[in-house]
Amino acid sequence: MPSHKVIYDTDPGVDDAMALFFLHYHPDIELVGITTCHGNAPVEITTRNALYLKERFGIDAPVARGAAGPVTGDDAHHAAVVHGDNGLGEIELPAEIKTKAIDTPAHRFIIETVRKHPGEVTLLAVGRMTNLALALREDPEIAGLVRQVVVMGGAFGYRGHLGNVTPAAEANIHGDPHAADEMFAAAWPVTVIGLDVTHEVLMPQDYLRRLGEEAGEVGRFIWDITRFYENFYLDKGLAGISVHDASAAIYLVAPDLFETRSGPVRVVCEGLAFGQTIQRPAGIGFPPNDWDGRPSHAVCIEVKDQPLLDLYRQTLLRAV
Ligand SMILES: [Ca+2]
């Protein structure tokens, strides 16, 4: 029996698709729903991509469409330069997707699913945190009913890793900082997989080529969608693509590959550092401050990259 019921909150997205495959093929994970959000592309496109991936790879979980923009009502910003205009690296996609999203909006799907399985559901959020914030606003009690929240987002300056939208801010948090700050205010256990660790995990082209050769249709698909994405990273002088969302997915089944630091987390919601995530580490004393009274969460500060890449590959080989 799979030991993790997971709702995957996502904005596919090249690395979102790569993480989705890990969730789909890992035997200890039961994907109970896919909720979509604005982010890498507008929500119409991320939802369509989620439906396409579900249909093409035979993923059972329902898809619920989520928020089109941040909780403030401001315009959404998208990352076409990284993921292409279609969100999946400009590969050719069918004009029509037969599979449809369910009628329930994402945040309500989250509430209903968490209430149906109290204490069992993990929320894996790898896009903007908007759907999670909307779920908390509608039903704050769910914070006490989820098993855990695992987030890909943020940058805490560990080992000198900066943001990727500004020197201060990472894209998922920058895209809706108010939602992220509300998410960190809730008393549910959150683990953050930020750029501090995802910029330490790189898939070089050889790794992707081998996956393409060995992991059947899904391997070839990953090779295809990463061509555009890879150029973005190679142009920046990196030795491979950063493994953002899949690192967060892998944390679910292999938390021992990560080291964490505890303490409450705040998000800067205005000014120059808009979207910056700042943790007040446990054990350090400060005068009264804006972190007081907030729940402690775990921020990943170290990762064992080679075992993580091995686990990803082994899991994808199960597709063959
Ligand atoms: Ca994502």
Side-chain angles (χ1 to χ4, degrees):
M1 274 290 283
S3 58
H4 295 270
K5 281 190 194 335
V6 176
I7 296 177
Y8 184 44
D9 190 70
T10 178
D11 57 338
V14 173
D15 63 316
D16 301 75
M18 293 173 71
L20 176 63
F21 297 138
F22 182 85
L23 299 171
H24 180 51
Y25 292 112
H26 198 285
D28 293 341
I29 290 174
E30 180 193 356
L31 191 59
V32 295
I34 300 169
T35 52
T36 62
C37 197
H38 64 107
N40 292 325
V43 73
E44 298 75 33
I45 292 177
T46 61
T47 306
R48 187 181 184 282
N49 289 346
L51 292 166
Y52 171 67
L53 295 167
K54 169 180 161 63
E55 188 172 291
R56 172 150 176 196
F57 294 96
I59 297 169
D60 289 337
V63 172
R65 176 179 157 140
V71 290
T72 51
D74 293 338
D75 289 344
H77 296 281
H78 308 117
V81 64
V82 189
H83 298 263
D85 284 330
N86 73 359
L88 288 176
E90 299 298 358
I91 61 159
E92 206 169 305
L93 294 169
E96 278 288 317
I97 314 283
K98 286 194 213 78
T99 309
K100 301 291 177 217
I102 58 173
D103 290 335
T104 313
H107 71 284
R108 199 156 300 136
F109 175 84
I110 291 171
I111 293 168
E112 289 172 4
T113 309
V114 166
R115 286 208 167 266
K116 201 153 97 190
H117 307 283
E120 289 183 43
V121 175
T122 292
L123 304 178
L124 174 63
V126 301
R128 288 17 174 182
M129 304 300 147
T130 319
N131 293 334
L132 271 59
L134 293 176
L136 283 169
R137 285 181 181 193
E138 190 162 305
D139 187 355
E141 285 179 9
I142 60 163
L145 298 174
V146 304
R147 175 171 168 180
Q148 63 172 338
V149 181
V150 177
V151 165
M152 191 280 131
F156 295 82
Y158 198 76
R159 287 200 187 186
H161 288 300
L162 303 176
N164 56 3
V165 178
T166 76
E170 179 279 332
N172 283 345
I173 306 296
H174 185 269
D176 195 350
H178 298 85
D181 199 49
E182 289 176 31
M183 186 273 297
F184 285 124
W188 48 17
V190 179
T191 302
V192 188
I193 316 290
L195 299 180
D196 311 79
V197 286
T198 66
H199 275 168
E200 294 279 322
V201 186
L202 297 179
M203 283 182 183
Q205 192 175 78
D206 282 354
Y207 177 101
L208 292 164
R209 183 177 288 115
R210 199 166 153 215
L211 205 59
E213 289 163 0
E214 296 177 347
E217 188 189 349
V218 72
R220 285 189 295 278
F221 184 79
I222 289 173
W223 173 259
D224 289 343
I225 61 173
T226 49
R227 296 308 82 215
F228 183 95
Y229 191 72
E230 189 180 72
N231 282 334
F232 173 80
Y233 285 94
L234 298 185
D235 285 349
K236 292 207 302 189
L238 292 168
I241 61 169
S242 290
V243 182
H244 296 299
D245 295 352
S247 292
I250 289 168
Y251 174 84
L252 301 182
V253 294
D256 50 314
L257 297 181
F258 298 82
E259 250 179 62
T260 60
R261 185 177 73 180
S262 304
V265 177
R266 295 299 313 253
V267 181
V268 178
C269 289
E270 56 188 17
L272 193 65
F274 185 82
Q276 185 176 18
T277 46
I278 308 174
Q279 185 182 43
R280 188 185 70 191
I284 303 180
F286 293 96
N289 57 70
D290 290 338
W291 286 255
D292 288 345
R294 306 257 301 194
S296 183
H297 298 304
V299 169
C300 288
I301 56 171
E302 285 283 357
V303 59
K304 297 189 176 97
D305 60 332
Q306 283 309 319
L308 187 150
L309 292 173
D310 291 345
L311 176 56
Y312 185 82
R313 182 172 164 275
Q314 285 157 16
T315 304
L316 271 280
L317 292 183
R318 300 177 70 98
V320 184

